Amino acid sequence: MICGIFHQGSGLGNQLFRYVATRVVAAEKGYEWGMVVQADGSGKELGFKGSSFMQIDMGKNPMLLPVVVKGMPITAENITYGVTYPSPFLGKTVKKWNEKKIIENGIDVRGYDPEFNFVEDYTVIDGEFQDPRYFEHRLDEVREWLEVEPLEMPDDLCVIGFRGGEYALYPDLFLTKDYWDTAIGLMKEKNPTMRFEVHTDDLATAKQFFPDFECIHDIGLNWRSVRYAKYLIIANSSFYILPSLLNQNLKAPVIAPRFWGRRNTKVWALPQNYYRQFFYI
């Protein structure tokens, strides 16, 4: 059995990449699979952050491995690796596999870790798994796994995925207004009467950047709008990646920030976030 981890601090985008990677390796190896859910300090289980609009199969057990450790179900922080547990690990020794992380000059430059292809059964896997080589060959299956209610989107509407919040605290990371102005200009070249709608985690900051556009903060509507938009401009946030890649309605490539996490300093951070389908500026 292969298990992925939903960490307490992970946003929906990161959770979905972990989920997809778990299912991909399980499908390719013929393993059973499930998701291990992290608990908070009180032992309260913290589940899937997209449950309000997306019903996903959680695998062998819909929430946690049905095994208790110190009186609580196994979670990401209390599981002990190298210890033998009963069902569903069937008396096997639990192993852990971490995606290789590479730091150069203080910047995360990790990419695809080919050791992913050698993960053994009865392992809990942990990592970001955002490089397309982890999942792009099974994208049609991912569409089925992450199915949501479709949205009818107008042909003259461009969806903007704007990330504010804690990003605004980091000048190297937070996208400046010139990125958005340039991207909007490119969309207007395609259609001078193009309308724009902003989907964001941070309404206050979004309204400062886009005072003339409607700004929406609703996680389900945000994700589904990106998934079914005809035109897209996105921020350097994992939240917007998978719905963009799964989108089959696009009439133009997704506009995304070149250098991803470090557009402002022009040094690629997280080069795993280079996707051939995107147009980087």
Side-chain angles (χ1 to χ4, degrees), residues 174-227:
F174 188 51
L175 294 170
T176 54
K177 195 170 184 301
D178 78 285
Y179 167 73
W180 302 107
D181 289 344
T182 301
I184 289 169
L186 290 171
M187 285 297 178
K188 286 185 174 180
E189 289 179 6
K190 300 179 186 301
N191 180 358
T193 61
M194 185 78 78
R195 297 183 298 116
F196 296 88
E197 188 175 87
V198 181
H199 288 264
T200 182
D201 65 319
D202 184 345
L203 276 179
T205 306
K207 288 177 179 178
Q208 293 176 13
F209 273 71
F210 311 102
D212 299 324
F213 302 156
E214 181 180 5
C215 298
I216 300 169
H217 174 47
D218 177 316
I219 189 171
L221 184 56
N222 296 156
W223 204 93
R224 291 167 60 224
S225 295
V226 174
R227 171 69 177 80

Side-chain angles (χ1 to χ4, degrees), residues 132-205:
R133 286 170 286 185
Y134 288 117
F135 58 84
E136 64 181 354
H137 54 297
R138 288 183 175 266
L139 213 54
D140 288 339
E141 292 167 88
V142 177
R143 287 190 182 93
E144 296 177 6
W145 301 340
L146 305 185
E147 183 179 5
V148 293
E149 183 180 356
L151 279 178
E152 289 292 333
M153 303 295 285
D155 289 339
D156 65 341
L157 179 68
C158 175
V159 168
I160 294 175
F162 177 82
R163 177 66 183 267
E166 71 275 18
Y167 272 38
L169 302 175
Y170 301 96
D172 289 354
L173 179 64
F174 188 51
L175 294 170
T176 54
K177 195 170 184 301
D178 78 285
Y179 167 73
W180 302 107
D181 289 344
T182 301
I184 289 169
L186 290 171
M187 285 297 178
K188 286 185 174 180
E189 289 179 6
K190 300 179 186 301
N191 180 358
T193 61
M194 185 78 78
R195 297 183 298 116
F196 296 88
E197 188 175 87
V198 181
H199 288 264
T200 182
D201 65 319
D202 184 345
L203 276 179
T205 306

